[in-house]
Amino acid sequence: MDSNALHQYTNALIQESSPYLLQHAHNPVNWYPWSDLALEKAAQENKLILVSIGYAACHWCHVMEHESFENEEVAQLMNAHFVCIKVDREERPDIDQVYMKAVQLMTRRGGWPLNCITLPDGRPIYGGTYFTKNQWIDVLQKVSDFYQADPITANTYADELTDGVKQSEYLGLNTEPKSFTAEAIEHFVNDWKKSFDHLDGGMNYAPKFPLPNNYLFLLHFYHASKDAAVFSFLQHTLHKMAYGGIYDQLGGGFSRYSTDMKWKVPHFEKMLYDNAQLVSLYSDAYKHTHQEEYRKIVYGTLAFIERELTSDEGGFYSSLDADSEGKEGKFYIWEKEELEALLGKESRVFFEYFNVNTLGFWEDNQYILLRNKTDIECAAFLDITEEELHEKISAAKKILFEAREKRIRPALDDKQLCSWNALMLKGYADAYMAFQDTAFLEKALRNVSFIEKNFLCEDGSLYHNYKAGRSNISGFLEDYAFLIDAYLSLYQASFQEVWLQKAERLTAYVEMHFKDPESGMYFFTSDTDPPLIARKMEIMDNVIPASNSQMALNLFTLGHLLGNEAYLSQSETMLNNVVREMPRYLSAHSNWGILFLKYAYPFYEIAISGEKASAFREEMNKKWMPNTLLAGAESESTLPILKNRYAPLKTRMYICRDKTCKLPVESIDEALQQMK
């Protein structure tokens, strides 16, 4: 029997692979995916287009679907007056960029679900985020009536709004002299410090997002500037996130954000991109501090990734929903009586450790597990040894984890995205370098094989998506930028030059198909893709760094490793184009800030040549040296940075800065001394 026959309604989304689109395939709304068919229908019938954008793990997207898109009365109104297009923002970030900017220009706010009404040619005239059913009906009727009554005014407004979308985040060439000084970046950070929450960590507003790149920049900045206040704030933030409800204290992994100031109540969805970057962040923080807490976070998060977001093929799935059984967070929260029944007399220790008390109380007799004491403090309070505490907590966590596994799980978004897989690949490479755990490198190599098999095309281009043997969306700049970065990390982790060759090939493709020759920046979409109403640049860093900032960093790294002056010059030009924006909003330019630091403070190239190059690399990778670049080979290499430096039976390290190298040394201690 056809499974669709079990449903009263089935629309064109049934042919899609995106879990988010499939969630809407049996709505009474006559949804279309973004396609030539839908756009041609709007043009032929002179109908307004409703572009509704969300993603599978989005809680309020589910709410609006239930209240409005599953309602026959609402669907009838939508079908009568609009061509309705559903978009998975994770599959089509290019479409999301365009209409998110339109809604932000109209309303000064954005988010998902994103609902934008456009003219038949796709130019926006109205938009917003979540609407209640009655609000939505009112909006649909008023916009439809307005367009029918006054199409000239509608077109004039659409022209103005579309021009605004085109101009936003477009950067031209900055012809002013390049100047990247330590004094300037220190001034930018001092302004940013006003937003620091010194009580609970993070920024002084809610909701609180982890924003891994913000904290990675601050870690880099502390290393360069030795600003003790920044380092204290950073450590406090990493500690608070690790102890808070935003981190799954039983199963590992971070939720997308905290709804409150204290990292207590998460929005329970778990995203691959957050966890990938947080693995890199905590790995780097461990290299600097060697705090056991950071090691546990990395291992716990990677255990979650392997258990719940890794496919049999070695790829990484996109996310876990916030909801299960129709309730947000139900999979993760506990009632006190349930815990007592499962743990018995050991519940007292568990309750103290994970705050099953007024601190951990959420709502409706439910508790969120979180910590506020170190192991030493908790053991002293309970009058037991640390060893006893660890044994009791470990046993209790095992019991509760097994009990939780029997619950109905949050829905899995099992599509796999090239850019997000690349972020996770880099996370594994960074964890390997920090801990020298070969299991991490093995998983990284397995994933890179998966990426190259399912995303990489013979002509050097990338696909963006993959699911069940199907890849059908062309890659965006983010896919190339993050995969190049992951290749560079694999080179740093192994000294295998094949990764540099792969990075160089992808960079050449980006240069050919994404570059804006006037500014030196890159467009988000390729010149081979069907055009939207605007061809956007992604400049500002967000939860995920901007693809332009990552390409600028890639060019800097490749330029040094390959001796490519054109890459180095372009990286510098890109930074100069952005530098005027950085003082105003450094948190939205933190990845650019990491590049800025490489110019403002001493930057070292470390070339290692000889039979012990790999052993030296392993030792150097355990250290936190952000303003350095490692290159090495156990034999003769043609890389400019290594050329003519091999000597049989010796291993030499060359410390270079500004194209000048100091005399070679044969020990790590001597090399480190030369960088002081």
Side-chain angles (χ1 to χ4, degrees), residues 527-541:
D527 59 7
T528 65
D529 293 324
L532 302 174
I533 62 166
R535 193 178 183 200
K536 301 289 294 170
M537 289 179 180
E538 186 181 53
I539 305 297
M540 295 174 68
D541 299 316

Side-chain angles (χ1 to χ4, degrees), residues 480-501:
Y480 295 84
F482 294 132
L483 185 52
I484 292 167
D485 186 35
Y487 280 148
L488 294 174
S489 291
L490 285 175
Y491 172 74
Q492 296 278 296
S494 67
F495 284 166
Q496 293 182 10
E497 292 179 17
V498 63
W499 305 120
L500 292 184
Q501 296 162 10

Side-chain angles (χ1 to χ4, degrees), residues 229-244:
V230 163
F231 187 56
S232 176
F233 164 75
L234 175 62
Q235 282 199 292
H236 186 58
T237 297
L238 295 180
H239 173 81
K240 285 288 189 176
M241 290 197 301
Y243 273 33

Side-chain angles (χ1 to χ4, degrees), residues 366-474:
Q366 296 164 337
Y367 293 82
I368 295 170
L369 304 183
L370 69 157
R371 299 179 59 191
N372 68 338
K373 294 186 182 73
T374 65
D375 289 357
I376 295 174
E377 292 168 339
C378 194
F381 181 85
L382 293 165
D383 196 24
I384 58 177
T385 66
E386 279 190 75
E387 184 178 357
E388 287 176 300
L389 178 68
H390 293 160
E391 289 175 357
K392 291 177 183 292
I393 293 301
S394 179
K397 286 175 67 174
K398 185 174 186 294
I399 291 169
L400 296 184
F401 182 81
E402 290 174 355
R404 196 176 78 171
E405 286 293 284
K406 297 174 184 176
R407 296 176 175 179
I408 296 174
R409 301 186 59 79
L412 169 69
D413 186 334
D414 61 351
K415 71 175 180 291
Q416 291 150 87
L417 303 176
C418 183
S419 52
W420 296 8
N421 268 254
L423 287 170
M424 193 67 250
L425 168 59
K426 177 176 168 56
Y428 269 109
D430 288 343
Y432 167 69
M433 286 187 277
F435 302 103
Q436 295 300 313
D437 188 330
T438 56
F440 296 157
L441 182 59
E442 289 167 4
K443 290 178 174 62
L445 294 175
R446 184 166 180 248
N447 178 249
V448 79
S449 295
F450 167 83
I451 288 174
E452 293 178 348
K453 177 182 177 183
N454 297 294
F455 295 107
L456 184 60
C457 303
E458 289 185 6
D459 66 354
S461 65
L462 293 171
Y463 281 114
H464 177 62
N465 66 322
Y466 172 81
K467 182 182 173 185
R470 180 183 179 190
S471 299
N472 64 343
I473 298 173
S474 296

Side-chain angles (χ1 to χ4, degrees), residues 97-110:
Q97 280 182 358
V98 168
Y99 292 110
M100 178 64 77
K101 178 52 65 176
V103 169
Q104 288 172 336
L105 289 173
M106 285 185 276
T107 68
R108 300 197 175 190
R109 61 188 298 268

Side-chain angles (χ1 to χ4, degrees), residues 579-593:
V579 73
R580 291 172 294 186
E581 305 297 319
M582 293 176 67
R584 184 174 57 88
Y585 198 5
L586 184 56
S587 66
H589 297 88
S590 55
N591 211 38
W592 293 105

Side-chain angles (χ1 to χ4, degrees), residues 18-76:
S18 159
Y20 176 67
L21 298 185
L22 289 171
Q23 287 171 5
H24 294 78
H26 297 294
N27 292 167
V29 177
N30 189 23
W31 292 116
Y32 290 86
W34 185 274
S35 60
D36 290 342
L37 176 65
L39 300 175
E40 289 166 3
K41 178 180 175 64
Q44 290 168 2
E45 299 179 9
N46 193 31
K47 272 189 172 181
L48 295 173
I49 298 173
L50 168 63
V51 183
S52 183
I53 304 174
Y55 57 100
C58 169
H59 172 73
W60 288 102
C61 299
H62 302 331
V63 173
M64 190 165 180
E65 179 192 16
H66 178 67
E67 293 177 347
S68 295
F69 303 150
E70 293 177 353
N71 183 279
E72 293 183 356
E73 175 193 1
V74 177
Q76 186 175 13

